[in-house]
């Protein structure tokens, strides 16, 4: 039925109907079709060329953006890795830590400079240079070198860098100027800094600052070698600063053709905007004129076609009769052709399905002739090698294998063809598009005949590069782990719940005085008894370990090979299987016998020292009480005689003697009171009469009290104590502390010297007050002597002989019972700075005051 219908439709048209088209209608159709085709071609080519130009600009922009983002990500990852290593490091050796960072952290060369700033002690900021590029590798005009100082650290504190762990980007440090790096093309750069705080248990371990430039984080040739790029600008949107600007000189006739691409991304806590400006090249401008050429020639061809149809239509009429006969034959042929097309279509669908199935396989399926010439490749070939399939067809399979493997693979291939070898798999390497070789598994499966009865060899290629890398990485990790265990300074072991050692490193055998780990594993049949003598205590320890899962820092006595006891420190944890059954215990052991013996000796010495110190304190307190009683009488009676309450003394000399007796008695009473205060503090009997008071008022009264002594020596007072909160404490004792330090500064400062007051609050809320003088200064030994009771420093500025060296020790003791401390920084012939630290729990900020600036 269907075939009859097809034949009916393929009948030739009647002759009368084949001549209905007249010359005018044919010309009109050709003309309209020509116009439509010409206009369509013009629009299509215009849209295609314009899209191709825009796509080229977008691709250049994306390449530049991708390179820039990857470079910035590398900077951020390097900063996070540096801060993580510093955070996890337990060593106090800063030089060793810096050396470790230089060896282990990649991409340090993307920075001009990496500095670690840390607080060695409260208020004492230090820094270490982790990395710094050499001078020869830098453009002198673009180099920025960060040298931290006190003002720089104060800025970091005021900017809140230490308050969180956000990666900050700063481009306005002093000296970060916008300078010219290159002249052709003109390139301007500004250095910037990535700042990352190092945190450890809620406390700051400093900050890491990495200084870099845009030119170091991405390949500038991506845009510099592209003549279409006229300008590239990178701007920090938060600060408004330009980070990078490249401007290529473009002639005026091209400036009207500029195209702009811009995008933005985050760098740390700042947002950067990248602006790319393109100028159309001559080739692009000429290419954009092609649609007009097509329009021109299309119009000509339409006109010529119309005339051609007009001339040919006359001849067509003559040939119509001939064609009628031919069309009858064609109808018969069309029936056969239709059937053949149907069969070919079904065959094409089947081939397409088979090809889709083959191309979906991840392995490369190939066919070669008997000489190894590649005839067929599946789609996976391009993914594995990077070569185009059509380019690789016709090449010899063995010529693209690793040179050293070619002879062996060809030999096995020949044996397979001759039937002397079954299908086989082998590992080799194949050349890929970048010139390197990639590990593969070559499988030769079968021989088949094609439609022309030619023999073909079928095989597969499996990419095993990632698997080989994983195997090598695993082997390297195992080797490294084995070396770490073998060379570890501490003992490492694995112990079963029954007390049998599964493994031990040389250090473990050395601690227990065995010749080797093998000797130790052979001789110790059960650790419970041979190593751990107290079995009951060990059983309790194991029960605690099962409950907690791991125990650190456990100290215990163990037996060595010859039976004597040593002290060790253990870290141990449970190792379980997937069903939560205990497999074994894994732990480390450290010999602490010497430290333990030293601790016991130190504890005994401390006990004897405390007993002696207690006896000394009680003796001084008792003697001071006994001395105050007669002193009160001496001071009282001398005061009566000095004021001549009972009548005139008679001789003027007697009055002078009485005055000396009175002043000496008061001085001695002051010394005794200080001794009593120190004795009470040492004995723990000193109680504070606490109240809220203003540091500003206390400091002001001290300044007024000793103003005359300041003027006598013509000393300049610079008061820069701007932050003055209220303090919760004993006002009288704090005033005594400030007076002792202030009078010492006046005493040891030469004439025409200078005393400076400074105060500030730390980020943790604590308060510090510093008094700096330009006096004689002290060495470290003299500082220790000055802080010890009755310790006095000899000097040429004060030879009055007054004082017994209790001022600074008493001040230090008073600050101690307030929870604070005193810090002294001094250098001979330069001066001394004494800083009082008040903890945050004693600082009340609601009534802060500023004394202002005073100059005498």
């Amino acid at each position: 039925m269907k075939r009859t219908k097809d034949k009916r439709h393929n009948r030739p048209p009647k002759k009368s109907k084949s001549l209905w088209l007249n010359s005018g209608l044919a010309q009109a159709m050709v003309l309209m079709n020509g116009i439509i085709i010409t206009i369509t071609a013009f629009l299509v080519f215009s849209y295609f060329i314009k899209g191709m130009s825009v796509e080229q600009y977008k691709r250049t922009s994306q390449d530049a953006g991708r390179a820039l983002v990857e470079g910035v990500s590398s900077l951020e990852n390097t900063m996070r890795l540096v801060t993580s290593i510093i955070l996890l490091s337990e060593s106090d050796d800063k030089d060793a830590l810096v050396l470790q960072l230089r060896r282990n952290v990649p991409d340090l060369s993307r920075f001009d400079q990496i500095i670690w700033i840390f607080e060695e002690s409260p208020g004492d900021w230090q820094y270490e240079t982790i990395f710094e590029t050499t001078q020869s590798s830098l453009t002198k005009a673009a180099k920025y070198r960060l040298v931290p100082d006190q003002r720089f650290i104060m800025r970091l504190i005021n900017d809140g860098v230490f308050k969180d762990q956000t990666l900050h980007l700063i481009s306005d440090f002093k000296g970060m100027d916008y300078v010219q790096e290159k002249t052709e093309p003109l390139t301007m750069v500004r250095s910037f800094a990535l700042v990352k705080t190092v945190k450890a248990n809620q406390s700051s371990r400093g900050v890491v600052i990495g200084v870099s430039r845009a030119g170091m984080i991405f390949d500038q040739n991506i845009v510099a070698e592209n003549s279409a790029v006229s300008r590239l600008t990178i701007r920090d949107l938060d600060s408004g600063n330009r980070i990078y600007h490249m401007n290529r000189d473009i002639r005026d006739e091209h400036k009207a053709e500029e195209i702009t691409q811009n995008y933005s991304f985050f760098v740390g806590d700042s947002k950067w905007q990248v602006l790319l400006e393109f100028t159309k090249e001559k080739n692009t401008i000429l290419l954009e004129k092609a649609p007009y050429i097509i329009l021109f020639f299309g119009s000509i061809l339409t006109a010529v076609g119309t005339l051609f149809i007009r001339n040919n239509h006359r001849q067509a009429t003559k040939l119509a009769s001939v064609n009628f006969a031919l069309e009858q034959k064609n109808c018969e042929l069309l029936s056969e052709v239709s059937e053949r097309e149907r069969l070919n279509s079904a065959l094409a669908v089947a081939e397409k399905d088979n090809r889709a199935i083959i191309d979906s396989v991840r392995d490369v399926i190939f066919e070669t002739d008997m000489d190894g010439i590649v005839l067929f490749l599946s789609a996976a070939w391009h993914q594995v090698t990077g070569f185009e399939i059509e380019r690789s067809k016709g090449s010899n399979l063995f010529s693209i294998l690793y040179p050293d493997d070619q002879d062996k693979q060809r030999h096995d291939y020949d044996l397979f063809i001759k039937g002397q070898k079954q299908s086989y798999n082998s590992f080799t390497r194949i050349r890929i598009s970048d010139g390197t070789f990639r590990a593969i598994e070559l499988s030769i499966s079968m021989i088949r005949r094609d439609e022309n009865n030619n023999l073909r060899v079928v095989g597969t290629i499996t990419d095993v590069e990632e698997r080989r890398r994983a195997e090598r990485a695993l082997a390297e990790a195992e080797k490294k782990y084995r070396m770490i265990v073998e060379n570890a300074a501490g003992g490492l072991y694995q112990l079963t719940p029954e007390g049998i050692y599964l493994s031990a490193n040389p250090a473990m055998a050395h601690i227990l005085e065995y010749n080797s780990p093998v000797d130790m594993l052979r001789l110790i049949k059960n650790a419970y008894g041979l190593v751990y003598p107290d079995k009951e205590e060990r059983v309790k320890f194991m029960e605690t370990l099962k409950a907690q899962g791991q125990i650190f820092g456990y100290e215990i006595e163990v037996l060595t090979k010859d039976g004597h006891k040593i002290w060790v420190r253990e870290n141990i944890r449970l190792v379980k299987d997937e069903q939560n059954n205990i497999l074994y215990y894994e732990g480390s052991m450290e010999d602490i016998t010497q430290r333990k013996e030293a601790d016991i000796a130190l504890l005994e010495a401390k006990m004897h020292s405390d007993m002696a110190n207690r006896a000394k304190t009680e003796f001084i307190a008792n003697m001071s009480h006994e001395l105050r009683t007669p002193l009160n009488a001496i001071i009282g009676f001398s005061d009566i005689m000095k004021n001549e309450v009972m009548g005139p003394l008679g001789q003027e000399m007697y009055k002078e003697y009485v005055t000396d007796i009175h002043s000496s008695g008061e001085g001695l009473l002051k010394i005794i009171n200080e001794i009593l205060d120190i004795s009470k503090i040492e004995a723990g009997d000193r109680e504070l009469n606490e109240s809220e008071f203003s540091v500003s008022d206390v400091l002001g009264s001290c300044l007024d009290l000793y103003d005359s002594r300041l003027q006598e020596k013509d000393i300049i007072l610079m008061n820069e104590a701007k932050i003055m909160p209220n303090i919760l404490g004993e006002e009288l004792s704090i005033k005594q502390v400030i007076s002792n330090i202030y009078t010492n500064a006046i005493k040891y400062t030469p004439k025409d010297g200078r005393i400076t007051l400074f105060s500030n609050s730390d980020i943790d809320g604590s308060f510090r007050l510093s008094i700096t003088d330009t006096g004689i200064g002290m060495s470290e030994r003299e500082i220790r002597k000055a802080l010890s009771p009755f310790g006095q420093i000899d000097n040429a500025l004060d030879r009055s002989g007054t004082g017994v060296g209790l001022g600074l020790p008493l001040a230090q003791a008073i600050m101690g019972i307030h929870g604070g401390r005193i810090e002294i920084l001094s250098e001979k012939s330069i001066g001394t700075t004494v800083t009082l630290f008040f903890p945050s729990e004693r600082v009340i900020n609601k009534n802060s005051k500023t004394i202002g600036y005073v100059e005498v």
Side-chain angles (χ1 to χ4, degrees):
M1 295 290 294
K2 184 176 181 181
R3 182 170 297 179
T4 304
K5 183 178 181 180
D6 291 340
K7 287 182 177 180
R8 185 173 64 249
H9 282 293
N10 290 331
R11 289 175 182 173
K14 295 181 179 180
K15 187 175 180 180
S16 58
K17 292 184 179 179
S18 64
L19 300 178
W20 69 271
L21 188 63
N22 56 38
S23 176
L25 183 59
Q27 294 178 43
M29 291 181 63
V30 170
L31 181 62
M32 291 299 295
N33 290 334
I35 293 174
I36 292 172
I37 293 172
T38 301
I39 294 175
T40 302
F42 171 77
L43 294 177
V44 169
F45 272 84
S46 297
Y47 178 81
F48 175 76
I49 292 172
K50 183 177 180 180
M52 184 174 61
S53 301
V54 173
E55 184 64 25
Q56 178 183 359
Y57 301 142
K58 287 184 178 179
R59 185 165 54 252
T60 302
S61 176
Q62 291 172 356
D63 291 342
R66 188 182 303 109
L68 183 59
V69 171
E70 290 175 354
V72 168
S73 298
S74 176
L75 290 183
E76 293 179 343
N77 292 337
T78 300
M79 290 293 293
R80 293 189 177 98
L81 180 58
V82 169
T83 55
S84 296
I85 293 176
I86 294 174
L87 179 62
L88 296 176
S89 174
E90 298 179 357
S91 174
D92 293 329
D93 188 352
K94 301 297 189 299
D95 294 335
L97 179 56
V98 170
L99 182 60
Q100 179 187 1
L101 290 170
R102 292 176 181 170
R103 289 177 176 175
N104 298 331
V105 178
D107 293 334
L108 291 178
S109 59
R110 290 182 179 270
F111 292 87
D112 286 335
Q113 192 177 18
I114 300 180
I115 291 178
W116 174 26
I117 302 174
F118 54 90
E119 194 174 24
E120 188 71 24
S121 62
D124 181 17
W125 291 91
Q126 303 291 335
Y127 75 94
E128 289 283 349
T129 300
I130 297 174
F131 176 79
E132 186 172 6
T133 54
T134 58
Q135 178 66 29
S136 59
S137 64
L138 291 173
T139 303
K140 292 182 179 180
K143 179 181 178 183
Y144 168 76
R145 186 173 184 272
L146 176 61
V147 180
D149 55 13
Q150 187 66 27
R151 189 182 299 275
F152 176 80
I153 294 172
M154 288 304 300
R155 173 183 171 171
L156 293 181
I157 294 174
N158 294 334
D159 288 348
V161 172
F162 293 90
K163 292 182 178 179
D164 55 49
Q165 299 186 52
T166 303
L167 181 62
H168 299 276
L169 182 135
I170 302 176
S171 60
D172 58 352
F173 283 151
K174 184 177 180 181
M176 281 187 175
D177 298 325
Y178 187 59
V179 298
Q180 179 176 327
E181 186 179 51
K182 291 193 296 184
T183 57
E184 185 60 31
L186 177 62
T187 305
M188 305 290 291
V189 299
R190 180 191 300 275
S191 297
F192 61 88
L194 290 175
V195 182
K196 183 75 169 63
T197 303
V198 183
K199 288 284 185 178
N201 298 326
Q202 303 303 323
S203 63
S204 174
R205 291 195 62 184
V207 63
V208 176
I209 301 177
V211 179
S212 183
R213 292 171 286 118
M216 299 184 70
I217 61 177
F218 76 103
D219 187 4
Q220 301 180 59
N221 292 332
I222 294 176
V223 294
E225 295 178 359
N226 192 330
S227 59
V229 179
S230 61
R231 277 187 293 273
L232 168 61
T233 302
I234 303 174
R235 185 184 299 275
D236 185 354
L237 297 179
D238 292 344
S239 63
N241 293 330
R242 277 188 178 183
I243 303 300
Y244 179 87
H245 179 70
M246 187 278 290
N247 188 2
R248 179 180 285 110
D249 186 19
I250 304 298
R251 292 181 300 175
D252 293 337
E253 59 266 29
H254 299 305
K255 290 187 177 180
E257 301 292 334
E258 290 184 348
I259 298 175
T260 301
Q261 294 283 332
N262 68 82
Y263 50 89
S264 60
F265 61 96
F266 284 92
V267 182
D269 61 345
S270 297
K271 189 175 184 181
W272 281 7
Q273 181 188 50
V274 179
L275 177 64
L276 274 166
E277 296 184 7
F278 299 90
T279 301
K280 293 183 180 179
E281 300 177 300
K282 290 183 178 180
N283 295 336
T284 303
I285 296 174
L286 291 175
L287 188 62
E288 290 180 349
K289 294 180 179 179
Y292 296 93
I293 297 175
I294 293 174
L295 180 63
F296 173 75
F297 283 104
S299 301
I300 294 177
L301 290 176
T302 300
V304 172
T306 302
L307 296 176
F308 180 79
I309 290 298
R310 183 177 180 181
N311 294 328
N312 286 345
H313 186 269
R314 297 175 182 175
Q315 299 177 2
T317 305
K318 298 178 182 179
L319 296 175
S321 57
V322 178
N323 290 337
F324 181 78
L326 293 176
E327 286 178 358
Q328 289 180 334
K329 297 293 182 181
N330 287 340
C331 289
E332 298 176 0
L333 294 176
L334 285 175
S335 298
E336 296 180 3
V337 169
S338 298
E339 182 65 19
R340 181 171 296 182
E341 285 180 352
R342 186 183 64 80
L343 296 176
N344 289 338
S345 177
L347 179 62
V349 170
E351 289 181 351
K352 183 178 180 181
D353 293 340
N354 292 335
R355 182 72 188 202
I357 294 172
I358 292 174
D359 290 342
S360 65
V361 178
R362 295 184 61 182
D363 295 344
V364 178
I365 300 175
F366 66 89
E367 285 185 347
T368 65
D369 62 10
M370 306 305 287
D371 296 326
I373 303 301
V374 177
L375 302 176
F376 170 80
L377 290 167
S378 65
W381 172 261
H382 179 70
Q383 299 175 1
V384 174
T385 65
F387 290 116
E388 296 296 333
I389 294 176
E390 295 301 325
R391 174 185 173 185
S392 300
K393 286 183 179 179
S395 61
N396 190 285
L397 174 65
F398 304 104
S399 65
I400 58 179
L401 298 180
Y402 190 68
D404 294 344
D405 297 342
Q406 291 180 7
D407 293 339
K408 179 181 181 305
Q409 294 296 333
R410 189 180 294 276
H411 176 71
D412 293 342
Y413 183 83
D414 291 340
L415 293 178
F416 176 76
I417 292 175
K418 295 175 182 178
Q420 300 176 7
K421 187 179 180 69
Q422 299 296 325
S423 59
Y424 65 92
N425 298 334
S426 62
F427 291 97
T428 182
R429 284 176 287 177
I430 192 170
R431 188 185 300 277
I432 59 176
S433 59
D434 61 2
T436 61
F437 290 89
R438 193 174 186 90
I440 62 166
E441 182 181 4
L442 180 64
S443 176
I444 303 299
S445 304
M446 59 177 290
I447 299 176
R448 75 173 187 90
R449 293 184 181 274
D450 63 5
E451 61 275 8
N452 298 322
N453 208 29
N454 296 322
L455 294 177
R456 288 189 176 187
V457 178
V458 180
T460 60
I461 295 174
T462 304
D463 184 5
V464 296
E465 180 68 22
E466 296 301 328
R467 187 174 73 189
R468 285 296 181 93
R469 289 180 181 175
E471 291 173 351
R472 289 195 295 268
L474 179 60
E476 186 67 24
E478 291 177 351
K479 179 180 178 182
K480 185 181 295 184
Y481 173 75
R482 192 180 306 111
M483 292 180 62
I484 291 173
V485 171
E486 293 293 331
N487 298 314
L492 302 175
Y493 64 87
Q494 290 178 328
L495 181 68
T496 66
E498 295 76 26
I500 301 174
Y501 281 108
L502 299 176
S503 65
N505 69 339
M508 182 70 180
H510 177 73
I511 290 173
L512 298 180
E513 300 180 357
Y514 288 89
N515 296 330
S516 66
V518 176
D519 186 35
M520 173 184 165
L521 297 178
R522 179 174 56 83
L523 295 177
I524 300 178
K525 303 302 182 182
N526 192 331
Y528 305 137
L530 293 178
V531 177
Y532 304 103
D534 191 345
K535 295 183 179 180
E536 294 182 358
E537 189 277 337
R538 197 62 183 176
V539 170
K540 294 179 181 178
F541 172 76
M542 288 302 174
E543 291 177 354
T544 305
L545 177 62
K546 291 177 181 178
Q548 297 181 0
Q550 58 185 5
I551 296 177
F552 296 100
Y554 182 71
E555 298 181 358
I556 188 175
E557 281 188 307
V558 297
L559 296 176
T560 62
K561 180 180 180 181
D562 57 8
H564 78 271
K565 292 183 178 181
I566 62 172
W567 280 96
V568 297
R569 176 188 175 94
E570 279 190 302
N571 297 326
I572 190 169
R573 73 180 186 92
L574 293 178
V575 178
K576 299 181 179 180
D577 60 13
E578 296 179 353
Q579 287 74 35
N580 208 31
N581 298 318
I582 298 176
L583 297 177
Y584 55 85
Y585 305 119
E586 188 175 68
S588 63
M589 182 178 290
E590 176 188 2
D591 187 355
I592 60 170
T593 303
Q594 293 182 354
R595 194 204 75 191
K596 201 71 176 179
E597 292 174 351
D599 289 346
I600 294 172
L602 182 62
L603 185 62
E604 293 177 353
K606 183 178 183 302
M607 182 178 65
H608 292 302
S609 175
D610 290 343
M611 291 175 62
N613 189 53
R614 181 75 178 182
K616 180 263 297 181
T617 302
E618 292 177 355
F619 171 76
I620 291 175
N622 292 332
M623 289 300 297
S624 300
H625 279 293
E626 294 299 329
L627 289 173
R628 266 205 311 189
T629 301
L631 269 178
N632 288 332
I634 293 171
I635 294 171
F637 288 128
S638 62
D639 186 58
I640 292 173
M641 295 172 66
K642 182 183 69 171
N643 295 324
E644 298 178 333
V645 175
M646 307 300 294
L649 296 177
Q651 294 292 335
E652 187 66 27
M653 186 177 297
Y654 291 159
K655 186 175 182 179
E656 183 178 345
Y657 292 161
V658 170
T659 302
D660 291 340
I661 293 171
H662 184 269
S663 60
S664 299
E666 286 185 340
L668 183 56
L669 181 61
K670 179 182 177 184
I671 293 172
I672 293 173
N673 287 333
E674 290 178 347
I675 293 174
L676 282 175
D677 285 341
I678 292 179
S679 300
K680 287 182 179 179
I681 293 173
E682 290 180 350
D685 297 332
R686 178 71 157 83
E687 294 183 358
L688 294 176
N689 184 16
E690 295 183 348
S691 63
E692 181 181 342
F693 64 90
S694 171
V695 178
S696 174
D697 296 340
V698 172
L699 181 60
S701 63
C702 292
L703 298 181
D704 294 338
L705 183 61
Y706 299 104
D707 183 63
S708 59
R709 295 180 59 180
L710 206 68
Q711 294 181 4
E712 287 176 3
K713 300 182 71 172
D714 292 331
I715 296 174
I716 298 175
L717 175 63
M718 304 290 291
N719 190 346
E720 297 185 2
K722 306 300 181 183
I723 301 174
M724 303 293 285
N726 287 4
I727 297 294
L728 180 63
E730 188 174 84
E731 180 177 359
L732 186 60
S733 61
I734 297 299
K735 183 176 181 181
Q736 184 180 3
V737 171
I738 296 174
S739 296
N740 286 342
I741 297 172
Y742 185 56
T743 54
N744 282 344
I746 297 174
K747 181 190 299 184
Y748 296 114
T749 299
K751 191 173 183 178
D752 297 328
R754 185 175 68 255
I755 296 176
T756 303
L757 306 179
F758 179 79
S759 67
N760 72 314
S761 294
D762 291 339
I763 56 176
D764 60 354
S766 59
F767 169 71
R768 63 177 69 188
L769 176 64
S770 299
I771 299 176
T772 302
D773 62 63
T774 57
I776 60 174
M778 295 181 289
S779 64
E780 291 186 4
R781 183 186 64 81
E782 291 174 336
I783 291 175
R784 291 194 296 270
K785 184 177 180 181
L787 288 173
S788 63
F790 307 103
Q792 289 182 298
I793 308 301
D794 296 332
N795 69 90
L797 295 178
D798 184 74
R799 298 187 180 274
S800 63
T802 59
V804 292
L806 293 175
L808 281 178
L810 180 59
Q812 183 173 246
I814 291 174
M815 290 299 296
I817 62 177
H818 278 82
R821 69 182 187 280
I822 289 179
E823 182 181 276
I824 300 177
L825 300 176
S826 183
E827 189 170 347
K828 296 289 288 185
S829 304
I830 293 179
T832 302
T833 297
V834 181
T835 303
L836 305 180
F837 290 88
F838 293 90
S840 58
E841 57 266 19
R842 290 193 174 273
V843 179
I844 302 173
N845 292 311
K846 62 182 181 179
N847 292 321
S848 298
K849 295 183 180 179
T850 301
I851 292 181
Y853 178 89
V854 179
E855 181 175 342
V856 179

